[in-house]
């Protein structure tokens, strides 16, 4: 089911799309961005990003306060003191994991997407102006878009980057959750407040 909303999102039953995408002056490039967004939403649904299927044992073994008897993404993120930080890190983990899947399933679209990634990278803020904690997360976004960062990434990012590489090999839920916990713990130890970026 598809509906119109301010932001792109999905609850695995409905995909919400913005009614207008006008990032680029050219209609064709906006359509491409729309298609790319739709493809990632489809990949999230088809690859279990939001359902955590079969993950109850993994979740309860890592979070003893988890109260539900089934996996629930909202309850899962509530286990983290900085919920938005955990959500953004999980989003990054899933982007790295889903990209190879999309390159295999939709090679034409993903090849075309390469033409707009530099512009999306250019929309990101300079890392040097962010708190260390925010810069850590932002560096992952930028590396995903352009395999580089706009500024000096925190050392912690360079140390953590290898964890992301393994996710491109279709990591299972246990590895994804462990990666999230590891990245979250690293980010939590960095200086400054976390300021979520669009």
């Amino acid at each position: 089911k598809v509906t119109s909303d301010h932001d792109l999102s999905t609850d695995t039953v409905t995909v919400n799309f913005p009614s207008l995408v006008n990032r680029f002056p050219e209609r064709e490039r906006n359509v491409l961005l729309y298609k790319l967004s739709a493809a990632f939403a489809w990949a999230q649904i088809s690859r279990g990003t939001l359902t955590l299927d079969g993950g109850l044992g993994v979740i309860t073994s890592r979070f003893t306060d988890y109260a539900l008897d089934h996996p629930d993404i909202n309850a899962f993120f509530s286990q983290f003191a900085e919920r938005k930080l955990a959500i953004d890190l999980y989003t990054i983990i899933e982007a790295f994991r889903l990209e190879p899947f999309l390159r295999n399933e939709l090679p034409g679209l993903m090849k075309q997407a390469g033409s707009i990634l530099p512009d999306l990278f250019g929309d990101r803020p300079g890392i040097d102006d962010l708190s260390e904690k925010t810069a850590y997360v932002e560096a992952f976004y930028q590396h995903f878009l352009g395999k580089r960062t706009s500024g000096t990434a925190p050392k912690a990012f360079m140390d953590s980057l290898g964890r992301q590489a393994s996710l491109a090999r279709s990591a299972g839920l246990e590895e994804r959750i462990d990666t999230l916990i590891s990245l979250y713990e690293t980010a939590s130890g960095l200086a400054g407040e976390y300021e979520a970026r669009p």
Side-chain angles (χ1 to χ4, degrees):
K1 183 177 173 184
V2 176
T3 63
S4 176
D5 199 355
H6 183 264
D7 295 313
L8 172 71
S9 63
T10 181
D11 61 4
T12 73
V13 174
T14 302
V15 179
N16 303 302
F17 287 105
S19 58
L20 176 67
V21 174
N22 62 355
R23 161 60 185 82
F24 303 106
E26 305 87 5
R27 180 183 183 280
E28 297 77 20
R29 298 182 83 201
N30 287 318
V31 170
L32 177 57
L33 179 57
Y34 208 88
K35 287 180 181 179
L36 186 61
S37 299
F40 267 95
W42 166 69
Q44 287 179 329
I45 294 168
S46 68
R47 306 306 292 171
T49 294
L50 303 176
T51 54
L52 306 175
D53 288 340
L56 182 62
V58 176
I59 294 168
T60 56
S61 70
R62 281 136 179 96
F63 301 98
T64 56
D65 292 339
Y66 187 83
L68 301 181
D69 61 357
H70 62 279
D72 178 88
I73 195 78
N74 286 319
F76 171 68
F77 285 129
S78 295
Q79 302 301 303
F80 296 89
E82 292 185 76
R83 179 184 171 90
K84 184 57 180 162
L85 174 62
I87 290 171
D88 286 353
L89 287 170
Y90 185 70
T91 299
I92 292 164
I93 289 167
E94 287 298 284
F96 277 92
R97 182 178 77 93
L98 296 175
E99 183 184 28
F101 168 75
L102 287 171
R103 288 195 182 285
N104 184 58
E105 295 293 319
L106 304 170
L109 174 64
M110 295 305 286
K111 184 176 180 180
Q112 286 181 309
S115 68
I116 62 173
L117 292 182
D119 293 304
L120 299 178
F121 178 90
D123 289 345
R124 305 306 302 178
I127 284 183
D128 296 331
D129 300 327
L130 304 175
S131 73
E132 189 178 23
K133 186 181 288 187
T134 304
Y136 175 78
V137 177
E138 180 60 32
F140 280 109
Y141 277 114
Q142 291 185 13
H143 191 269
F144 176 74
L145 291 170
K147 307 296 184 244
R148 60 190 173 94
T149 59
S150 62
T152 305
K155 181 182 181 306
F157 164 74
M158 300 308 294
D159 295 342
S160 299
L161 194 54
R163 295 222 41 145
Q164 290 297 98
S166 67
L167 296 172
R169 298 188 296 270
S170 298
L173 182 60
E174 184 171 4
E175 184 177 356
R176 288 156 40 209
I177 289 176
D178 287 345
T179 300
L180 172 59
I181 291 169
S182 174
L183 297 183
Y184 179 86
E185 288 174 350
T186 298
S188 296
L190 298 176
E193 296 293 317
Y194 178 60
E195 182 182 340
R197 312 300 301 182

